[in-house]
Amino acid sequence: MPTAQSFSLSQARRLALTAQGFSRPPLGQPPGTAQLARMLRRLSVVQIDSVNALVRSHYLPLFSRLGDYSSETFDQLAWGRGRQRKLFEYWGHEASLLPLELYPLLRWRMQRSRQGQGIYRQLAEFGHEQQATIARVLAAVTEQGALGAGSLSTRQERAGPWWDWSAEKLALEWLFAAGEVTVAGRRGFERLYDLPERVLPASLLAQPVPDEAEAQRGLLLHAAQALGVATEKDLRDYFRLSPADSRQRLHELVEDGRLQRCQVQGWSQPAYCLDRPRIPRKVETSALLSPFDSLVWERDRTERLFDFRYRLEIYTPAHKRVYGYYVLPFLHHERIAARVDLRAERAHQRLAVHALHEEQQGLDEQGIEALAVSLWRLAGWLGLERVQINCARTGTARLRAALARVELSGEPA
């Protein structure tokens, strides 16, 4: 048996950053449709989240990697008609947008959902008990075309907080999980559901459906490509596979030689990678990351790679928050060097910095300048006129001065 490859932690970090599309600085001009599509294929999955404190989270990963791009172009890739559409919505890593070519690899998950497996209990019980409601809702979608849950609801009482869904919404979610409907588009943030044959290419739907084992192996290979080097848990988490499925499929991929075992300095678990990956000598990039970015969404991996403990505090009471409500990690070169609590205050045309927290090593002058440039570029992409610091923490004086220098130089443009 060949000797397992061994990587230092810095090599693993560079592998991960390269795999995730951070190996090159943003393009000098706004990226077009082809560049966006290539990056989306590289990532394989982009998580969707409803919080809009800054911008809907699915728009941020491409900005972090490619710089100023048109969100309208992204919308065409995600929800456009005909050949414009390159993505579909489904449960990938939570609610996600995925390249169309992954659709056959998720048909097994749809089949399991029809059987009440792999979906949360309330929805599984609803599917078992409310087939008449599901049939009525499916008939309405078939007859009327793309529909949102609001246009179908028959409830008389007011909806409660959070996930107090109507019966029609539950029916649509069950049909969506089962692959009987898909997302044709969105009205605001509301999903509009339609039949797959009216949304997705006929050639895609006609493709042979791989069995569960081959589909899961395919998903793990996509995860390995997107992560660079990863433990079994990291790979499993990318598409939220079960431990039993993941471990068996991983064993098969190693046996077949499609994945290689390797070791990473300081990691207690074995790692896996594609055969003989190329490791860049250095990665020089600066980027603000969505809290739901695939580089950091597996929190244990983020700690192992970057020595950076990251937790969402969106649902934490304000007085118990340590870092803030909507906190973006700041990647500078090969470190996550700071975290920034940001808000798009559109009524005042400003990007508000509510807190800056530097990590233990801090930001040197180059890092502070890079953060200032990143903030100005983010403000410009969001159509905001200025960056305002609403924080008196130590370090913000340096950031305030750097923002003024960047504004004066005109560098963000």
Side-chain angles (χ1 to χ4, degrees):
M1 226 177 136
T3 305
Q5 294 185 81
S6 182
F7 303 114
S8 69
L9 186 57
S10 61
Q11 287 176 321
R13 211 177 286 133
R14 293 198 295 273
L15 273 175
L17 290 168
T18 302
Q20 280 282 301
F22 287 105
S23 58
R24 296 177 182 174
L27 300 169
Q29 57 186 6
T33 303
Q35 291 97 325
L36 299 185
R38 279 198 299 270
M39 185 60 72
L40 290 162
R41 285 196 297 273
R42 176 192 283 265
L43 297 177
S44 288
V45 56
V46 174
Q47 185 176 342
I48 299 171
D49 188 80
S50 61
V51 177
N52 198 24
L54 189 65
V55 64
R56 300 288 186 195
S57 186
H58 52 277
Y59 292 110
L60 271 172
L62 291 183
F63 175 78
S64 299
R65 290 155 175 81
L66 298 175
D68 190 359
Y69 77 93
S70 166
S71 57
E72 288 79 13
T73 302
F74 183 99
D75 289 344
Q76 288 299 319
L77 292 170
W79 300 289
R81 295 181 177 274
R83 294 184 179 180
Q84 293 177 317
R85 182 185 292 254
K86 303 296 181 186
L87 306 174
F88 72 101
E89 285 194 43
Y90 194 60
W91 296 105
H93 181 95
E94 300 295 335
S96 303
L97 284 159
L98 307 102
L100 287 175
E101 51 264 36
L102 266 64
Y103 188 84
L105 299 184
L106 288 161
R107 298 288 287 266
W108 65 274
R109 182 168 284 171
M110 299 172 189
Q111 179 60 39
R112 283 193 183 182
S113 297
R114 291 186 201 106
Q115 298 165 356
Q117 302 172 37
I119 52 178
Y120 60 90
R121 193 170 117 187
Q122 181 189 11
L123 196 59
E125 291 176 352
F126 183 88
H128 179 71
E129 298 170 359
Q130 299 290 331
Q131 281 297 311
T133 302
I134 290 169
R136 173 173 60 81
V137 168
L138 180 58
V141 172
T142 302
E143 292 168 12
Q144 299 177 49
L147 293 173
S151 60
L152 288 170
S153 179
T154 57
R155 74 187 302 166
Q156 299 299 313
E157 74 279 8
R158 289 184 61 185
W162 301 106
W163 309 116
D164 181 20
W165 287 346
S166 66
E168 290 77 13
K169 173 62 174 173
L170 284 165
L172 284 168
E173 287 298 320
W174 188 93
L175 289 164
F176 174 65
E180 299 294 324
V181 300
T182 192
V183 177
R186 283 182 178 259
R187 182 170 50 220
F189 198 66
E190 182 188 20
R191 285 172 172 166
L192 301 177
Y193 301 87
D194 205 345
L195 303 180
E197 55 265 34
R198 295 202 291 238
V199 175
L200 304 176
S203 58
L204 181 70
L205 298 175
Q207 286 183 21
V209 178
D211 63 29
E212 284 194 9
E214 185 55 36
Q216 290 164 2
R217 286 191 290 268
L219 292 174
L220 285 171
L221 287 172
H222 278 280
Q225 182 74 53
L227 291 172
V229 59
T231 66
E232 179 272 329
K233 184 182 177 185
D234 300 337
L235 293 169
R236 174 209 320 164
D237 177 75
Y238 209 74
F239 290 101
R240 294 293 168 89
L241 300 177
S242 73
D245 287 336
S246 172
R247 289 166 186 159
Q248 180 60 36
R249 303 292 88 83
L250 193 55
H251 173 77
E252 294 161 1
L253 287 168
V254 172
E255 287 290 305
D256 291 346
R258 289 193 275 175
L259 278 182
Q260 314 297 320
R261 284 192 183 91
C262 57
Q263 298 172 343
V264 175
Q265 173 192 5
W267 291 14
S268 60
Q269 298 297 316
Y272 301 86
C273 63
L274 299 175
D275 190 32
R276 303 296 171 189
R278 296 180 62 183
I279 306 171
R281 293 181 61 186
K282 60 182 178 179
V283 175
E284 293 186 344
T285 189
S286 296
L288 290 157
L289 305 175
S290 161
F292 306 97
D293 194 292
S294 49
L295 181 68
V296 296
W297 65 27
E298 214 300 307
R299 306 309 190 199
D300 290 341
R301 172 181 169 82
T302 304
E303 284 193 55
R304 277 183 277 114
L305 270 177
F306 298 103
D307 191 24
F308 180 79
R309 189 177 190 277
Y310 185 46
R311 299 293 185 272
L312 289 176
E313 297 182 316
I314 292 171
Y315 304 112
T316 302
H319 69 281
K320 292 184 177 181
R321 290 179 192 138
V322 177
Y323 296 108
Y325 176 75
Y326 201 73
V327 175
L328 278 67
F330 177 59
L331 173 69
H332 180 56
H333 294 181
E334 297 172 17
R335 290 194 305 121
I336 297 180
R339 51 190 100 201
V340 192
D341 185 19
L342 293 178
R343 218 79 79 244
E345 297 181 349
R346 294 175 179 86
H348 300 285
Q349 280 294 297
R350 68 192 179 206
L351 176 64
V353 180
H354 287 297
L356 167 65
H357 302 268
E358 296 182 46
E359 292 303 292
Q360 187 171 3
Q361 294 182 44
L363 286 165
D364 59 16
E365 288 310 306
Q366 184 189 45
I368 282 286
E369 293 288 333
L371 176 56
V373 169
S374 295
L375 288 167
W376 272 115
R377 286 178 176 166
L378 178 60
W381 178 62
L382 294 173
L384 303 173
E385 294 176 356
R386 63 188 187 278
V387 180
Q388 177 169 307
I389 297 180
N390 297 335
C391 172
R393 289 181 54 82
T394 303
T396 54
R398 289 198 305 145
L399 179 58
R400 197 184 307 273
L403 286 166
R405 286 193 297 272
V406 172
E407 182 180 21
L408 187 64
S409 71
E411 188 176 348

